[in-house]
Amino acid sequence: MVHHPLAPRALAAPLHRHHREDEYFYVLTGRLGALLGDDVVTAEPGTWVFKPRNQWHTFWNAGDEPCEIIELISPAGFENYFRELAALWPDQTKMPELLRKYELDMDPESVPDLCAQFGLVTARPEPAT
């Protein structure tokens, strides 16, 4: 289980897909937007959103107020990805190894188009130069 607080209009992740895990979002506050394959969904507090393994997806805060979600990931273990990502950030040279370890495909090139299409900003800080 992972708690995700999202700033207004923040994109949480590039398009990505998991090969081992299914994910479930439960919206606590705010308005969640998600791209699930070709479908765009919005979810209000009290709503569940299912993201099956092998489906390209991403998510964001679709409102102008903070959004909080709880994410259930099954089977367990993927929650450690977030710990490992935080430990290596902003050193992107180790990202391919981390993605392989968790059987995760990531499309970082999708971020500018997603931000433009849905009026979002990136939630991740830029790497230090």
Side-chain angles (χ1 to χ4, degrees):
M1 184 178 339
V2 180
H3 174 244
H4 292 288
L6 299 170
R9 298 285 171 191
L11 176 65
L15 274 173
H16 62 283
R17 68 178 166 184
H18 307 262
H19 291 280
R20 299 186 301 212
E21 296 88 15
D22 296 315
E23 298 176 300
Y24 306 82
F25 284 145
Y26 183 77
V27 182
L28 297 171
T29 63
R31 188 167 177 236
L32 178 74
L35 180 61
L36 309 173
D38 293 328
D39 297 325
V40 177
V41 299
T42 55
E44 304 288 335
T47 303
W48 286 95
V49 177
F50 174 57
K51 301 174 295 167
R53 68 189 72 190
N54 296 315
Q55 181 184 65
W56 284 96
H57 64 276
T58 189
F59 61 101
W60 59 88
N61 179 339
D64 296 320
E65 301 295 327
C67 176
E68 289 185 83
I69 59 173
I70 295 293
E71 182 177 32
L72 298 175
I73 305 166
S74 178
F78 188 79
E79 65 279 3
N80 294 315
Y81 165 83
F82 299 104
R83 292 181 185 104
E84 293 181 46
L85 178 62
L88 71 84
W89 194 264
D91 182 2
Q92 298 296 296
T93 63
K94 297 180 181 178
M95 223 24 216
E97 179 182 330
L98 186 64
L99 295 175
R100 275 191 302 277
K101 178 179 179 179
Y102 287 96
E103 296 183 38
L104 178 63
D105 297 325
M106 185 88 54
D107 181 8
E109 304 301 318
S110 66
V111 171
D113 288 342
L114 290 165
C115 288
Q117 182 177 357
F118 298 106
L120 307 172
V121 296
T122 182
R124 286 246 179 254
E126 291 300 315
T129 56

